[in-house]
Amino acid sequence: MPHLEIAPQHSPPATGEFVGVGIRTTDVGSGQKHVVLVYNRPDESTWQLGLDWHYRLHDEQWDPRNLWQTAGDLDPTDLPTVTAYLEYVRRSKPRIPYAFRALGCRFSVNATSGLLEFDAKEVGAGLTCATFIVFVFRALQFPLINAESWPAEREGDAEWREKIIDWMRKSKVPQAHIDAVVLQTPEARARPEEVVAAFIQPQWPKSFAECNDVALEIATEVDAQLPMH
Amino acid sequence: MSAAQDWMSVRLGRQDPGFGGSWRPLLSNSNFTYPSHRGGSIPETVDASPPGPASVTSLSMQWLANAIAAGPETYKIEHLTEIVAALDDQLHAGHFDLIGDVLRAMPVDLLSVHTLVMVLRTTGTARHLIPRWQSSVAAVATSLDKRNLDSRRLLRGLI
């Protein structure tokens, strides 16, 4: 498998069309990882787009604390298509709830503003940083993962949800949303490193079996960047 | 008359296109709309009047005008973004017949591979609702093959 590149020694190409993925540990104590899409804008600057938190879709200049790798199944001809879509998402700034259940959610266009909006099928539905990436590529008819192959309720999933809900409470996410998230039946969790594992491999969509070992390697690589090492 | 309007006239059999010649560049602010209809055939007329208030019953054709003006070899990211915005808007409004008409009427050989792929990837979410969507995919595939491009690879997930 292609190893992740470490910035700034090996930063994403600053010129030309580029679409990749970036990942880093954002909470050292819990090992929480965050995944973003990395892309070059037409002005040849490198940016990253990701769902940081509840209603926080964040587009910012490339953060060299991320490890990164290029998309495994996109050809040069695909890059403008994906870049254009990311530009549209970035410009639209859709308000995306953070939640564990994405089934039925979709992007739609506001007929008045012409901007992209996120339609959550029901209260308590939404995306994570990882499912945001899956969602964007699915909208372009590039299925990244075979979601049906992902096992539900693995060890650590329930604890992870508890942690996120605790963070929601502490960051004053509206109680109605928290209550709805708690009541929702969660989907099988695709972890950030697993989405990266799918993203960097050829021949999408990838199954869990094809991603699991690669994801473990990625997690090890990412953890190795922490100051404690 | 803009190049895109020329093309519309050609498709409607009113003018010899002279495709061997070059397309005139379009004015960047040219605007015209594809009139709304629910039938299964290409509209007889093109409304070239200045745009009125935003309407969900008219499909902005600016993206197509820009794409034709750019030609089959070039593209601009902002024009590809226009395609997503224009077509997503119509998908959301449920104008599937209209989108199907536009897809079938697209001059595929005059458009860049990026434009063609963007159009199909944007509309692919409603492939089962757009009349003869797969026929449009087949037309695009034929055009890509004629350019010695790997249509199966470029259109993966769509065919």
Side-chain angles (χ1 to χ4, degrees), chain A:
Chain A
M1 79 139 206
H3 285 279
L4 297 178
E5 298 285 358
I6 300 169
Q9 299 95 312
H10 302 284
S11 289
T15 57
E17 283 146 352
F18 171 79
V19 175
V21 69
I23 184 170
R24 71 184 181 93
T25 302
T26 49
D27 183 69
V28 175
S30 66
Q32 178 69 40
K33 293 172 180 56
H34 182 56
V35 58
V36 293
L37 286 167
V38 187
Y39 69 105
N40 280 356
R41 286 192 188 166
D43 67 1
E44 301 198 327
S45 56
T46 305
W47 290 71
Q48 60 183 56
L49 177 69
L51 183 64
D52 281 7
W53 192 232
H54 186 63
Y55 290 154
R56 267 195 240 155
L57 182 65
H58 200 183
D59 186 62
E60 61 183 336
Q61 285 210 281
W62 161 249
D63 180 344
R65 289 176 296 176
N66 285 294
L67 301 188
W68 65 276
Q69 189 49 267
T70 191
D73 200 28
L74 293 181
D75 293 344
T77 314
D78 298 318
L79 299 182
T81 311
V82 176
T83 301
Y85 196 77
L86 296 180
E87 280 282 309
Y88 187 42
V89 174
R90 171 188 73 79
R91 194 183 306 165
S92 299
K93 299 184 180 68
R95 286 169 54 80
I96 302 175
Y98 196 98
F100 312 130
R101 188 172 179 82
L103 189 66
C105 296
R106 65 184 190 124
F107 282 139
S108 65
V109 171
N110 182 301
T112 304
S113 68
L115 297 177
L116 205 61
E117 294 180 340
F118 182 82
D119 285 347
K121 185 177 173 66
E122 49 204 10
V123 180
L127 305 177
T128 65
C129 66
T131 53
F132 168 73
I133 290 172
V134 175
F135 195 82
V136 164
F137 277 84
R138 194 177 63 202
L140 281 167
Q141 315 302 308
F142 286 119
L144 269 181
I145 64 171
N146 176 4
E148 290 74 32
S149 69
W150 248 255
E153 294 303 322
R154 280 179 285 165
E155 185 180 347
D157 284 355
E159 291 80 3
W160 173 75
R161 288 196 302 272
E162 283 301 313
K163 176 185 71 180
I164 295 294
I165 288 167
D166 185 47
W167 286 355
M168 283 183 173
R169 291 194 181 103
K170 288 175 178 165
S171 62
K172 302 197 185 323
V173 170
Q175 189 62 43
H177 178 72
I178 297 173
D179 292 344
V181 167
V182 169
L183 288 174
Q184 284 275 11
T185 304
E187 293 166 350
R189 180 188 176 209
R191 300 173 181 178
E193 60 270 29
E194 291 165 354
V195 170
V196 172
F199 191 91
I200 67 178
Q201 294 188 70
Q203 295 182 309
W204 301 340
K206 309 308 289 184
S207 68
F208 176 77
E210 293 172 298
C211 292
N212 190 32
D213 290 345
V214 179
L216 292 173
E217 287 186 47
I218 289 169
T220 302
E221 281 191 67
V222 173
D223 287 341
Q225 300 307 308
L226 293 174
M228 67 183 75
H229 289 271

Side-chain angles (χ1 to χ4, degrees), chain A residues 17 42 72-85 87-88 91 106-112 114 116-117 119 138-143 203-204, chain B residues 54-56 75-78 80-82 84-93 113-114 117-118 120-127 149 153-154 156-158:
Chain A
E17 283 146 352
D73 200 28
L74 293 181
D75 293 344
T77 314
D78 298 318
L79 299 182
T81 311
V82 176
T83 301
Y85 196 77
E87 280 282 309
Y88 187 42
R91 194 183 306 165
R106 65 184 190 124
F107 282 139
S108 65
V109 171
N110 182 301
T112 304
L116 205 61
E117 294 180 340
D119 285 347
R138 194 177 63 202
L140 281 167
Q141 315 302 308
F142 286 119
Q203 295 182 309
W204 301 340
Chain B
S55 166
V56 296
Y75 65 91
K76 287 185 176 177
I77 293 291
E78 57 261 40
L80 298 180
T81 306
E82 272 181 357
V84 186
L87 292 176
D88 258 2
D89 185 24
Q90 295 302 315
L91 290 172
H92 188 51
V113 56
H114 305 92
V117 171
M118 187 90 254
L120 295 180
R121 293 209 174 277
T122 304
T123 57
T125 49
R127 64 179 73 185
L149 296 171
R153 172 70 184 164
L154 289 168
R156 65 196 184 284
L158 302 170

Side-chain angles (χ1 to χ4, degrees), chain B residues 110-133:
Chain B
L110 301 179
L111 299 174
S112 74
V113 56
H114 305 92
T115 296
L116 295 169
V117 171
M118 187 90 254
V119 167
L120 295 180
R121 293 209 174 277
T122 304
T123 57
T125 49
R127 64 179 73 185
H128 303 300
L129 299 170
I130 297 170
R132 298 173 62 198
W133 185 83

